[in-house]
């Protein structure tokens, strides 16, 4: 599974969009990009995933560049409850299903 | 909404004792996982389990650890003789499939404290 690179921390004003970047320059054609978050020490929470098309659900949008070497998770209207560590993970189809977590990005939403 | 449940939420045990951490995965899921997170560190994969056998394990998952699906609903992690360094949050996860396009859902974790 390809490695990912994320900034260690970001701030966002409450009510504004939070854009969290992720680089995965070694991603291969059958690997998906996943986003999870962890609020304090709770269990990681699934947010969204995608292969090459942009995806949107009730939580967030995922924008994947055309070359698939990077992606951005967008929380359209961040709230204080979105303060968490956000993990970008690449996982391939041949994988047993395990997720390899990095250090993630700590997003601080400020009033 | 279906969810993964873990019990107990907090377990304190003496060094050298055996502990069993319990998980009830989402009911139609077939793939089960354990992860751990030592305080202040990243989430680490321990083991994946499918069709009543381990499909993959990490180097952390040594002979002190074992997993079992004793019935149709529970999935357990046993630590045979706990060490101080086993103190961590342990998370169970499940998914309906493996493969690139399937999400895994996590429980809220069991905080294990070894004293």
């Amino acid at each position: 599974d390809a490695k990912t690179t994320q900034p260690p921390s970001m701030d966002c004003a409450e009510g504004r969009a939070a854009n969290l970047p992720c680089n995965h320059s070694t991603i291969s054609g059958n690997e998906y990009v996943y986003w999870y978050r962890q609020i304090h020490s709770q269990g990681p929470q699934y947010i969204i995933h995608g292969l090459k098309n942009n995806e949107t659900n009730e939580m967030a949008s995922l924008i994947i560049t055309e070359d698939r070497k990077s992606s951005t998770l967008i929380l359209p209207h961040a709230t204080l409850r979105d303060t968490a560590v956000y993990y970008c993970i690449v996982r391939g189809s041949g994988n047993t299903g395990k997720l390899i977590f990095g250090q993630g990005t700590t997003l601080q939403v400020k009033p | 909404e279906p969810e993964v449940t873990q019990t107990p939420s907090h377990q304190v045990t003496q060094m050298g004792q055996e502990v069993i951490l319990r998980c009830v995965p989402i009911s139609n899921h077939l793939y089960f996982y354990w992860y751990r997170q030592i305080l202040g560190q990243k989430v680490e994969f321990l083991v994946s389990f499918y069709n009543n056998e381990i499909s993959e394990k990490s180097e952390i998952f040594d002979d002190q650890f074992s997993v079992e699906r004793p019935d149709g609903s529970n999935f357990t992690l046993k630590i045979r003789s706990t060490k101080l360094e086993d103190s961590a949050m342990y998370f169970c996860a499940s998914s309906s499939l493996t493969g690139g396009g399937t999400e895994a859902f996590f429980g809220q974790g069991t905080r294990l404290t070894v004293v």
Side-chain angles (χ1 to χ4, degrees), chain A residues 37-70:
Chain A
R37 73 181 182 184
Q38 189 176 28
I39 297 172
H40 202 234
S41 292
Q42 296 177 24
Q45 179 187 21
Y46 166 78
I47 301 172
I48 198 167
H49 73 279
L51 182 62
K52 50 185 166 184
N53 298 320
N54 297 338
E55 302 287 344
T56 296
N57 63 20
E58 65 277 3
M59 287 184 69
S61 295
L62 174 59
I63 308 298
I64 303 174
T65 58
E66 194 167 339
D67 64 8
R68 303 207 324 121
K69 293 185 177 182
S70 65

Side-chain angles (χ1 to χ4, degrees), chain B residues 8-29:
Chain B
S9 56
H10 191 187
Q11 171 104 38
V12 180
T13 189
Q14 290 205 324
M15 191 169 53
Q17 295 295 305
E18 173 184 288
V19 293
I20 297 176
L21 309 183
R22 291 182 166 79
C23 169
V24 179
I26 294 172
S27 64
N28 64 342
H29 284 186

Side-chain angles (χ1 to χ4, degrees), chain B residues 4-5 7 10 20 24-25 29 31 36 41 47 55 63 65 69 71 74-76 94-95 101 112-114:
Chain B
V4 176
T5 57
T7 55
H10 191 187
I20 297 176
V24 179
H29 284 186
Y31 299 85
R36 79 170 187 191
Q41 298 186 23
V47 66
S55 48
D63 292 343
F65 293 90
R69 188 153 161 83
D71 53 41
N74 290 286
F75 179 51
T76 62
S94 70
S95 65
L112 176 66
T113 303
V114 183

Side-chain angles (χ1 to χ4, degrees), chain B residues 71-83:
Chain B
D71 53 41
S73 59
N74 290 286
F75 179 51
T76 62
L77 174 69
K78 182 192 291 186
I79 308 175
R80 214 176 320 277
S81 177
T82 50
K83 304 187 282 279

Side-chain angles (χ1 to χ4, degrees), chain A residues 30 32 34 36 38 40-46 49 87 91-103, chain B residues 31 33 35 37 39 41-43 45 48 55-56 89 91 97-108 111:
Chain A
N30 64 351
Y32 286 72
Y34 284 78
Y36 281 78
Q38 189 176 28
H40 202 234
S41 292
Q42 296 177 24
Q45 179 187 21
Y46 166 78
H49 73 279
Y87 300 99
R91 196 174 101 185
S93 59
N95 189 294
T96 59
K98 72 181 181 187
L99 295 163
I100 304 299
F101 289 81
Q103 298 294 343
Chain B
Y31 299 85
Y33 313 89
Y35 293 78
Q37 185 175 34
L39 186 64
Q41 298 186 23
K42 59 186 181 181
V43 178
F45 168 77
S48 58
S55 48
E56 187 174 359
M89 286 291 292
F91 297 109
L97 298 168
T98 59
T102 308
E103 59 270 34
F105 296 95
F106 287 74
Q108 288 306 299
R111 180 176 299 282

